[in-house]
Amino acid sequence: MSAPEKYPGSRRPLLVKKFGGTSVADIERIRKVARLALESQREGNDVVVVVSAMSGETNRLLGLAHQVLPLPDARELDVIAATGEQVSTALTALAIQAQGGQACSFLGHQLPLRTDSAFTRARILQVEQERIREVLACGQIAVVAGFQGVDSNDNITTLGRGGSDITAVALAAALGADVCEIYTDVEGIYTADPRVCPSGRKLKSISYEEMLELASLGAKVLQVRSVEIAMKYEVPVHVRGTFTEEEGTWLVSRETAFEARVLAGLACEHNQARVELSGLEHHPERMAELMELLAELNTSVDLLRHRQEGTQVSISFTLPEGELLRAKPSLERLVDDLGASAIQVSTGLTKVSLVGIGVRSDPWIAARVCRSLARHRIPVSDLAVNELRISGLVEGSRADEALRILHEAFELARAEASVTRPTNAEGAW
Amino acid sequence: MSAPEKYPGSRRPLLVKKFGGTSVADIERIRKVARLALESQREGNDVVVVVSAMSGETNRLLGLAHQVLPLPDARELDVIAATGEQVSTALTALAIQAQGGQACSFLGHQLPLRTDSAFTRARILQVEQERIREVLACGQIAVVAGFQGVDSNDNITTLGRGGSDITAVALAAALGADVCEIYTDVEGIYTADPRVCPSGRKLKSISYEEMLELASLGAKVLQVRSVEIAMKYEVPVHVRGTFTEEEGTWLVSRETAFEARVLAGLACEHNQARVELSGLEHHPERMAELMELLAELNTSVDLLRHRQEGTQVSISFTLPEGELLRAKPSLERLVDDLGASAIQVSTGLTKVSLVGIGVRSDPWIAARVCRSLARHRIPVSDLAVNELRISGLVEGSRADEALRILHEAFELARAEASVTRPTNAEGAW
């Protein structure tokens, strides 16, 4: 018999299955994860499992670090945070073994999964697949620690909150996996959060672009960068519930979307702050400086608006309230450097967004958003429309109500939501 | 200016300071460790800190693994256990930073500290010092995770209980440290455990060989293999209390012992089992088989005794009670294979040992041990004498009493304990 190839070209389908913190929250749930992995393997698949830290563990660990130092060194913070996934990964491998399977755990530095050196929010540069291929070829299940990697000096890095999604999708891309299954505590992607909007409907599929918008705009199910990677490498992603057998939601390219619909769903980002600088001198140089300063903030600045009144200019934008403190020195610099006459900050706002590939092509959508909210006397400001979404700011206290109104107005609970001109029943526009 | 040498030949003394689990049990104690490290640095030393996991953490982690599987895979167990030191190491680095110092943490795989692949009880093969030298050259304190290493395939390994002592001494040997300071919750090495024997006296110094015996015989202060490494590389080790300024006990070569004394101290190993196989056929081949079987047990077999009666032989030995269960199949094989007529197991015994470089040279020592215990009607069996120690078995319930009697009989509380022939006051021998 001739020596086997190093990686015998397996014809078995390859699944990457990612389980979040609530799915591995205790030993009983970890056993369930092991069962799901073994079932997939028995059905004839090669299986790679990616796990997050046990629910609450990352916060406990970061709490320890913050007890020592309010602003801990990011390198050491990552050393501490990475232990959460280290434990859950090995426990999951043990649980698979306990059920008669074979499994081997891998940490970021063992693959290695290489990242840049931006501690606490590192970006993946390269994923080595050799060791995973080796254990798969031996009939084992590879259990990979999510969230963590190493930079070129073997310093431990982490990928930021939700980083295990990124690990899973990046692994699936590197391995050319047939599916990347993201198991969560919800059953898929919904037209609106069902806890707020009971008529929220689970989507069968959603395009990468729409998911990217929803994730950016507050949908917590998938991490934004994981969607970017999925889109770039066209990884088939299946978002599904850990505690159900049912199909979840597939992320697919726009062309292969299963459903004929123009709107995907609604998302909310709470606790937004709106900043307005007025009385700025109108000068291209000044605007460039302003954009540079906002870039330096490196925060989720959105709904940037620029309004000219005579020779003066005013600028407004939103950012998460939690980042106001960090942004404050830069904002004060803005006022001084740019000679703004006033800076006005409003907080307690919610950004409500309607996402779908049909938003740009139908000008009636923006009109209907305004009309529906006006009918219920919910003021909306800073409305912005781009190719895939329409967003506006409402008072935080009325956000849930606004969500339900828009869900109803756009008939998102119907399997094939579409937008048409108003019918008589809805009254005149 | 010409380029600096990679490792400018530092003339500063180099200290390795190791802190056990109770010394880093909470954030307040970790701050104390940071203070001690910074004080040493300010006094003009280069400082390497080695830490154990926070007290209780290793047990918590192993408990999780045992919940999944009663006999968990050793590779995965090490992945889990190593996180304890990973957290305390980074927290210690943060605590040093919090006090204005500079510090960088290192895990086993980052140095790397290479071991063999004997998971849960790996042996160190090599310690790379390059990265530590680099940070020391920058004026930083290097904080190294104890207990952990990596094998040649980057699998995480651990060095067994007390493994952080081994890490510290091996690092001190590799770096040519001037002192390896082992900080513990006791203040040094005592002639007998002061909690049992209130007259127990802290030794100023002890030879490596004596310490090796004491550590093997139940003194918990230092891990046996750490003493072996210290002896092999003549590392000056200073065992001292974390919560006191006082000098502790120095481990030194026999020639440089500060005190003129023949006895170092007493140690107890509780929960010992004694196994006796009788009616064995007297045959050299049989004896070899027996020794091989005992070697396979890979446990702390001690006080092995071989007695010939006519053509028959009986064999007795001790091992920790906790290992009886694991040893049972092998023992039953012994009985079958060797044709033993009977196997007798006694439990609840304590091995009491008297250690000192003078044991072999003074035949009166064994005699006095027997006489002192007999006077208090404490039966002792299986007495064994070698170069550095004399050990015997007593009933566990009388072990503490035996310890106090022997401490008194050999005047170990006196700064210069020695053994002389009995005086009249002590009665005739």
Side-chain angles (χ1 to χ4, degrees), chain B residues 311-330:
Chain B
T311 61
Q312 296 222 314
V313 169
S314 70
I315 304 279
S316 65
F317 56 88
T318 63
L319 77 175
E321 271 176 28
E323 302 199 10
L324 255 186
L325 186 68
R326 191 164 66 80
K328 203 156 173 274
S330 303

Side-chain angles (χ1 to χ4, degrees), chain A residues 19-333:
Chain A
F19 296 90
T22 52
S23 304
V24 294
D26 55 41
I27 301 297
E28 206 38 66
R29 292 189 182 188
I30 289 175
R31 290 203 178 98
K32 162 88 176 164
V33 165
R35 269 198 299 282
L36 288 173
L38 281 164
E39 275 169 23
S40 288
Q41 193 188 41
R42 288 194 196 107
E43 286 163 5
N45 303 293
D46 282 343
V47 178
V48 177
V49 173
V50 176
V51 292
S52 301
M54 295 167 83
S55 173
E57 185 64 5
T58 304
N59 283 338
R60 185 187 72 85
L61 291 164
L62 297 180
L64 280 174
H66 287 96
Q67 262 184 276
V68 176
L69 202 55
L71 285 172
D73 178 52
R75 178 187 183 275
E76 303 301 338
L77 209 53
D78 277 357
V79 171
I80 293 169
T83 63
E85 278 72 15
Q86 184 162 336
V87 170
S88 59
T89 299
L91 289 176
T92 303
L94 288 175
I96 292 169
Q97 294 168 2
Q99 290 171 39
Q102 287 185 290
C104 182
S105 71
F106 292 106
L107 306 177
H109 68 87
Q110 290 175 323
L111 294 179
L113 186 151
R114 291 276 172 218
T115 72
D116 61 18
S117 299
F119 298 112
T120 75
R121 51 185 172 85
R123 294 184 80 97
I124 295 178
L125 301 178
Q126 201 183 356
V127 183
E128 289 294 338
Q129 48 167 305
E130 183 172 328
R131 295 193 66 176
I132 292 178
R133 290 282 180 199
E134 281 170 6
V135 304
L136 293 179
C138 301
Q140 297 193 35
I141 292 172
V143 186
V144 178
F147 181 62
Q148 59 176 249
V150 277
D151 71 5
S152 56
N153 285 318
D154 285 334
N155 294 309
I156 290 179
T157 56
T158 66
L159 310 177
R161 284 291 165 125
S164 297
D165 290 343
I166 305 173
T167 305
V169 175
L171 262 177
L175 293 163
D178 294 270
V179 187
C180 179
E181 295 183 299
I182 306 283
Y183 287 83
T184 74
D185 49 358
V186 295
E187 297 186 15
I189 311 295
Y190 282 75
T191 52
D193 185 342
R195 286 167 299 189
V196 176
C197 179
S199 61
R201 176 177 60 85
K202 187 172 72 185
L203 296 165
K204 287 205 181 78
S205 67
I206 186 170
S207 70
Y208 296 119
E209 294 89 338
E210 289 170 322
M211 189 64 233
L212 201 55
E213 290 287 351
L214 279 179
S216 308
L217 294 167
K220 301 272 191 301
V221 182
L222 271 184
Q223 210 277 348
V224 176
R225 271 158 54 205
S226 70
V227 183
E228 286 173 357
I229 297 171
M231 181 159 74
K232 182 168 176 189
Y233 297 99
E234 297 203 335
V235 179
V237 175
H238 184 192
V239 180
R240 59 191 305 184
T242 311
F243 309 109
T244 173
E245 298 281 303
E246 280 187 38
E247 284 268 304
T249 303
W250 287 82
L251 266 65
V252 292
S253 61
R254 202 184 286 200
E255 295 71 32
T256 58
F258 301 152
E259 292 174 290
R261 54 151 180 73
V262 290
L263 295 176
L266 288 156
C268 283
E269 278 178 286
H270 299 290
N271 304 317
Q272 297 292 301
R274 179 179 187 279
V275 177
E276 178 162 359
L277 305 169
S278 49
L280 294 171
E281 180 196 349
H282 176 53
H283 193 284
E285 194 72 18
R286 286 278 167 276
M287 281 306 295
E289 281 171 30
L290 171 61
M291 292 306 153
E292 281 160 19
L293 274 163
L294 288 178
E296 272 175 34
L297 282 178
N298 191 23
T299 178
S300 320
V301 165
D302 194 24
L303 302 186
L304 185 79
R305 186 124 336 182
H306 169 241
R307 197 171 54 228
Q308 196 175 338
E309 294 159 350
T311 60
Q312 295 221 316
V313 169
S314 71
I315 303 277
S316 66
F317 55 88
T318 62
L319 76 174
E321 269 177 31
E323 302 198 10
L324 257 186
L325 188 67
R326 190 165 65 82
K328 204 156 172 276
S330 302
L331 290 175
E332 288 168 352
R333 222 168 356 125

Side-chain angles (χ1 to χ4, degrees), chain B residues 293-341:
Chain B
L293 275 164
L294 288 177
E296 272 175 33
L297 281 179
N298 191 23
T299 178
S300 319
V301 165
D302 195 24
L303 303 186
L304 185 78
R305 187 129 334 188
H306 169 242
R307 197 170 54 229
Q308 196 175 341
E309 290 158 355
T311 61
Q312 296 222 314
V313 169
S314 70
I315 304 279
S316 65
F317 56 88
T318 63
L319 77 175
E321 271 176 28
E323 302 199 10
L324 255 186
L325 186 68
R326 191 164 66 80
K328 203 156 173 274
S330 303
L331 291 175
E332 287 166 354
R333 221 167 358 121
L334 274 183
V335 175
D336 290 349
D337 291 4
L338 305 179
S341 63

